[in-house]
Amino acid sequence: GMGYPSWEGLASTAVSAAKIDAAGSDFSRLTTAMAKKDYPQVFEEAKNILGGPKLLEVLNSKLKPPAGSSAQIYKLIARWPVPVYLTTNYDDEIQRQLTALKETYIAYSNSKDHFGSLLPELHGAIVKLHGDLRSETGLILTTSQYKSISSGDEWNYWRIKMTSIFQMNRVVVIGHSLSDQNIRHVLRAAKEGAGVNQPICWIAPDVPVTTVREYLEQYRIRVITYDNKDGTHRNLLRLIESVTQFIPPRTTVHIKEQIAKVSESPLGSNAAAPGFYVFNKLSIQRDFEEKRVEIIIAAMQSTIPLLSSLGQFTLEKALRISGWPEGMVVPLEFSRQVRDRAVAEGLLNPVGDQFSVGDKAESLMEENRRRFEHMRERFKLSLQLRTRKNYPDVSDAEAADIASDIEASLTGYFREGGLTLTTTLFSGKHRESPIPSSIIRFINEASARYGSLLMRQAFSTTSVDIFVAPEEPERDYLGRISQGFFAYHSLGVFGEVARERLSEAKDTVWLIDSNVQIPTLALAASTHPVFSDCISRLNGSGVRFFTTDKLFRETFSHLTFAERTIAERGPDSPDVIAAATGQLPYRKPNQFLEGFTNWRLVEGSSDWGNYLFEAFGKRRPNYEDLKNKLQHVGIEVIAFQNWPGFSEGDFKDADSYTQKIVDISTERDYSPSFAFEQHSSIPEDVETTDPYKKATPEAEAVLIVKREREGAYYVLSDQGEESPSWFISDTWRLNRVDKPLGTLTWQTEAFLRFASTISNPTADAKTADEAFQTILWGCAQAGLSLLDERTIDAVIDQDKLNIVEVRQAYKDNLSSKYGESPEKLLAQARPSNKYWAMIQLSNELARKAEERRELAEALAQTAIRQASLAEKELSKVARFREQMEARKKKGKRIARKQKAKRSKKKKKKG
């Protein structure tokens, strides 16, 4: 991403330098290694030719990024609160980015002394695992050096320490392919060190699903993969950007000015009041003009305390305080209507050209004030309790501060977010928002207000927790204020356009993307009620919805994937929970499986067929069954070629749009620019990397909207009659395909909020709950799983977690590694991970037992060989002894003979 020379580029530099400095030498081995892309061998041969110091001088001179290069990935991971960075890179970019954040990190080498400092409590360190190009000491560059670090005795300390690091610390590995032979020693350490309760996260390119599953089950390594077919690693940046949404920034990252401003309001602690008051007024009047005036008056009521402190003020000032956006002109006639109603009700008193607070103002706001304060305090108390439960080290006073800050931040988000959505919706152009489009990212950026990482974590965790496991106080309060602010801007500020859209709704061609169809059909999924009710309610009022056959097939593939998972793995399999929540080895939550998990808790049944029957009236619904159900809900499926007005030449135009969409998607600098941008409407759990397959249904949608607006298509109108037409989708990039066409997509959240605002007969708890589900939809689009861990825990088959059978094997093989009982080990895992933990533990036990068996066999073979050698040696000794005995006997015989001879001689002499 920085533009540093690649591995191949450095190798080419080494080859060129060798050929220049040693012209006439034999370069056959060097060029052969280069042709095979065996770069360590290239450096080995270049070192032999140039010498080590010269080679490092040449390479080091090239290790520079080009001018103006972007360091986006480095900047993001430098913001993460990571205590220790382990890098195989030779460059110093990590330290540069940390220094820019005023973070002090000390660089360590891979020497034995420095590695001894790598303890679990170490903070503020960057460790060069492969050394750097400034010295040959500790450098891992050539084939012999890689071989040495993999198996040489002199690097044994390195391998042992790396294994212990992976065992004792949470580690994220970025930028290494699992198939890279030059980091196999790192991968081996990760495999050995990863634990059930502390798996390794490895972000790697182009890893097949089968390999992801193998590493998850066998080695406790969670491989998060991204597509890198073009070799640019562009998708790695997008992945890191997504992950960063969920990571509270390190304490030296200060809160952005615009984020801080959003969290502030002239109304202070009553900042949420306008949204709350407006929500309660949504159903008072059926007449649109009356409702619009009532909405503005309700918002003004919430500002009475502040207006009273001003003494006298203009009507424009009162409107601005209540939320009327800067730069938006108040229509004269509407201003007159508001003024007359406010004066007539006693809310305002005219004082010349200005106003003061009227005598009846306090009484008008009293009922709303009591309800607002009650709900706000319940909401904040709920936040305090959550914070204290999850973070016992946070004091009561700190928990109260966090609760107030969360309330203020979310209020600001919904206030600004409501304006952003309505401006985009009704002005026909995207309004640049000062806040992130993702509420999750906003939460983490807002957490930077604190100077303590603990407080940042508590703020972020508690904020996210209210969406994953919401209680009634959160659902009611946040639903009301979020919908209230949207209604204020959509019906109040943009009332003329809203009225026009409302009046033409029945004559509008609403084309529905698959990511809207899926929650509409997925019974018991977290956002199913809001989609199902919205579509059914509007359809009952005469509004018609359409989709194409290709868009619907994406929905059908989402269901068939769920069915295949159940059929192959079983309803109690950990795969069902993993696929429902978007855990590995799956890339995105499957909402049918999410709905099935929630349905199981209510029904007490794990029968997938019963779930399908309740959802679709068939235990095994086919394509036509699902299509009929969608049409029954209110979405008609029409194939592109069957659209009224279609001609054969439209295929060619659709192909042209397909190519434009692919080109936009593959632009190197392309990044999503709008709320919850989806790179494709196709469900991500359907395996495909073909950009054309993703772009084709979208291209048909673009052409349908274009032709309907031109009058060439006429599904609702007469031929030649222009029809308003919109694509309900989160794919904002489509608006760049045909710029003269203008905006053609309605973002899903905006559509849900607008539909709820104009069609709900009452503003009650049910409406607030639907508004909260709309917030959940946005959270899910940002990557947050909405399946509550408590629900997962309740549906887990506890019998499958019985570890009696493995307890003895665990004691014999793994007790020293984990230091606690297997029961306690599994208890530490989140419910969604318990099945995987059991599988991983069993596999680890099996592998350890196999290792022990292999070791025992090896020892036995060694013992046999040693015994055989000993026998041979003993046989040699035995033969030697026999020879010695024979020699002794022979010697004795000779001695006796000689003695006998001497005796005979003496007798003769005597």
Side-chain angles (χ1 to χ4, degrees), residues 11 39 138 157 178 208 238 241 271 294 297 411 472 488 510 646 680 697 715 718 756 795 809 906:
Y39 303 126
Y157 75 89
L178 291 173
R238 292 177 179 172
E241 287 175 335
E294 285 288 346
I297 293 294
T411 294
E472 187 267 336
Y488 177 88
W510 303 102
F646 174 84
S680 170
V715 73
D718 295 327
S756 179
V795 300
K906 284 181 181 181

Side-chain angles (χ1 to χ4, degrees), residues 641-871:
Q641 64 272 20
N642 293 335
W643 209 273
F646 174 84
S647 64
E648 288 297 320
D650 291 339
F651 280 129
K652 183 178 180 181
D653 291 339
D655 289 342
S656 176
Y657 278 139
T658 298
Q659 187 60 55
K660 288 181 180 180
I661 294 170
V662 170
D663 291 343
I664 291 171
S665 302
T666 55
E667 287 175 6
R668 186 174 180 85
D669 60 346
Y670 171 73
S671 61
S673 59
F674 191 75
F676 319 130
E677 169 76 271
Q678 298 291 290
H679 297 298
S680 170
S681 57
I682 192 168
E684 288 187 27
D685 53 17
V686 179
E687 283 299 311
T688 178
T689 57
D690 183 358
Y692 291 91
K693 185 174 182 179
K694 296 179 179 182
T696 299
E698 296 172 341
E700 291 183 354
V702 171
L703 192 59
I704 288 171
V705 170
K706 178 182 175 68
R707 293 285 192 260
E708 284 287 352
R709 290 182 180 180
E710 294 170 342
Y713 286 0
Y714 45 93
V715 73
L716 291 179
S717 59
D718 295 327
Q719 187 173 5
E721 182 181 340
E722 298 177 2
S723 298
S725 183
W726 298 94
F727 185 33
I728 309 302
S729 172
D730 292 310
T731 313
W732 180 257
R733 64 180 174 175
L734 299 183
N735 296 308
R736 297 173 53 188
V737 173
D738 191 343
K739 291 185 178 179
L741 183 60
T743 303
L744 59 91
T745 61
W746 262 36
Q747 300 301 301
T748 305
E749 183 185 5
F751 175 75
L752 288 173
R753 291 200 181 282
F754 182 65
S756 179
T757 299
I758 64 176
S759 64
N760 267 348
T762 59
D764 54 13
K766 183 177 184 296
T767 310
D769 189 64
E770 289 190 354
F772 185 79
Q773 290 177 40
T774 302
I775 304 173
L776 294 185
W777 167 254
C779 293
Q781 294 297 88
L784 183 69
S785 170
L786 301 181
L787 197 55
D788 185 7
E789 291 287 334
R790 293 174 297 185
T791 300
I792 295 172
D793 196 30
V795 300
I796 283 179
D797 185 350
Q798 298 296 329
D799 290 338
K800 290 195 173 184
L801 297 177
N802 191 332
I803 56 177
V804 172
E805 298 175 0
V806 302
R807 187 180 289 116
Q808 186 59 45
Y810 177 90
K811 181 179 178 181
D812 295 339
N813 293 283
L814 293 177
S815 57
S816 60
K817 175 178 179 177
Y818 291 108
E820 53 192 353
S821 69
E823 290 86 355
K824 288 184 178 179
L825 190 64
L826 288 182
Q828 295 172 9
R830 296 171 62 187
S832 56
N833 290 333
K834 283 185 177 179
Y835 277 141
W836 289 117
M838 187 65 189
I839 290 172
Q840 292 162 354
L841 190 62
S842 298
N843 285 332
E844 189 173 8
L845 283 168
R847 195 170 66 259
K848 284 293 182 183
E850 180 65 16
E851 289 174 359
R852 287 198 169 196
R853 185 188 65 77
E854 291 175 352
L855 179 60
E857 288 181 354
L859 290 173
Q861 290 297 323
T862 301
I864 291 171
R865 286 195 300 272
Q866 290 175 342
S868 177
L869 289 172
E871 287 179 3

Side-chain angles (χ1 to χ4, degrees), residues 43-81:
F43 297 127
E44 187 84 52
E45 300 300 334
K47 180 182 177 182
N48 293 337
I49 295 171
L50 295 170
K54 180 61 177 178
L55 175 62
L56 296 192
E57 179 186 342
V58 170
L59 296 180
N60 206 32
S61 67
K62 294 293 183 181
L63 197 67
K64 298 174 183 176
S69 60
S70 172
Q72 291 305 311
I73 292 179
Y74 280 106
K75 288 178 179 177
L76 290 170
I77 63 175
R79 287 168 53 93
W80 297 0

Side-chain angles (χ1 to χ4, degrees), residues 537-557:
R537 191 167 53 243
L538 289 175
N539 190 249
S541 300
V543 177
R544 293 176 65 184
F545 298 98
F546 303 92
T547 193
T548 67
D549 180 69
K550 284 189 174 67
L551 290 172
F552 172 67
R553 285 187 181 279
E554 294 172 356
T555 300
F556 183 65
S557 68

